[in-house]
Amino acid sequence: MITKIENHPMRGNNTMRIDADCSLWIDFTSEEDLPVISQLIDGKPYIILGGGSNVLFTADYNGVVLHSSILDINVAFNNDKVYLKVGSGVNMDTLIEQCCKAGYWGLENLSGIPGEAGASAVQNIGAYGVEAKDIIYEVRCYDLLQNKFVTFNNAQCEFDYRWSMFKRDDTRYRYAITYVTFELSQKAEPKLEYSNLKEKVLSTTDGFSPMLVRQAILDMRNAKLPAVDEIGSAGSFFKNPVVPQDSYKRVCDISHKKWGIDCHVPNYLLPENKVKIPAAWLIEKVGLKGYVHGNAAVWHLQPLVLVNHTGKASADEILELEAIVKNRVFDEFGIILEAEVDHV
Ligand code: EPU
């Protein structure tokens, strides 16, 4: 079924809670709707939106916004493996909770993550040592350019850090995702490498289960991240910068001069001699943790997150705060922060 709404206010469709309208909102509930929608949008500017948890509407959107409400979930088993073909409009955390209750391993580390199944593939969402790419088996889409259904396997999705083929300039919004198939397991396959997750999970005596890991993850998230239904935010606003060794060394030299030789710059070594530096650390060090700019703020518990803390922030206030953070980090460390959040 297709639902069309003209001049639709999208405040409720973006977790940053920015007031922005689109010219036409189109919601669809099944694959059969897509050939019809393809004709409806023919030649018009359009975007595809999931749960709106990774976007910043910088102004009203003068075009069509497509949203999937395909909500069915099909389950198939092959030995220990469980294949869940999940409608692109399914809320990720609802899915994760159901999987944990059923005893399926694979999604538990992503517990509490906002957003919908379709966007999980576009964005290759990740948290606490797991990325969507680790469990995505295939992605089914409607190709709005060639008007046909197409299925991409994991490799064809070209997943990378918060990246997939669906974000490439030449394919952006070309494919309307209808189903994402996740490959989970009934065999215990916990991923507990992140920080002190292992100690947290093993310290309980309740028996070992995906539900237990889920609870530990939710506790960690709640301790640091704002609840999106209470405080407007889009999760991590910036990517963690990946820099060459010499840039990392420069950050260390600057830090040692400023805060003493004991100052340790957290880092994760990556292939090709690259280093990932946590943006949260850089932002904290330039003194912006908890910084307030009108109705926008740098979250006081996790500075990677920008929030609409009063619920009244305009897009401009968020953009100004983004610029303040980027400039301060660049002036201090010579590191360019890149937004993780899509600007529309
Ligand atoms: N840190 C600070 N100060 C702080 C918080 C963190 O210096 O106030 C430093 C610490 O050194 C810490 C490091 O930052 O060890 C990394 O922090 P954390 O592990 O909490 O994660 P993150 O790098 O800040 C990433 C993802 C999150 C995901 C967490 C947990 C990105 C852009 N963000 O954040 O994803 O939940 O890891 O795995 O990669 C999202 O994408 O929206 C998101 C929330």
Side-chain angles (χ1 to χ4, degrees), residues 170-233:
D170 60 327
T171 48
R172 192 79 175 124
Y173 305 129
R174 171 171 169 181
Y175 300 104
I177 295 176
T178 54
Y179 289 94
V180 178
T181 302
F182 296 97
E183 184 185 82
L184 306 183
S185 177
Q186 288 180 286
K187 234 178 36 207
E189 288 179 358
K191 302 221 170 58
L192 304 175
E193 291 75 33
Y194 180 89
S195 183
N196 61 346
L197 185 55
K198 193 180 247 161
E199 290 89 87
K200 277 185 145 223
V201 173
L202 295 181
S203 66
T204 78
T205 51
D206 297 351
F208 202 49
S209 68
M211 210 55 188
L212 200 65
V213 179
R214 172 176 169 81
Q215 201 46 58
I217 296 284
L218 290 177
D219 291 347
M220 284 168 83
R221 284 189 83 92
N222 294 341
K224 268 194 169 180
L225 296 170
V228 283
D229 43 355
E230 285 162 29
I231 296 168
S233 91

Side-chain angles (χ1 to χ4, degrees), residues 54 123 126-129 161-162 194 221 224-225 234-236 238-240 266 268 276 278 280-282 284 289 301-304 340:
N54 200 50
Q123 171 73 357
Y128 306 104
Y161 173 56
R162 296 296 189 277
Y194 180 89
R221 284 189 83 92
K224 268 194 169 180
L225 296 170
S236 298
F238 302 99
K239 286 186 188 164
N240 287 323
Y268 310 95
K276 191 191 268 186
W281 187 89
L282 297 168
E284 180 169 352
K289 190 171 181 173
L301 299 171
Q302 167 49 294
L304 197 52
E340 197 225 306

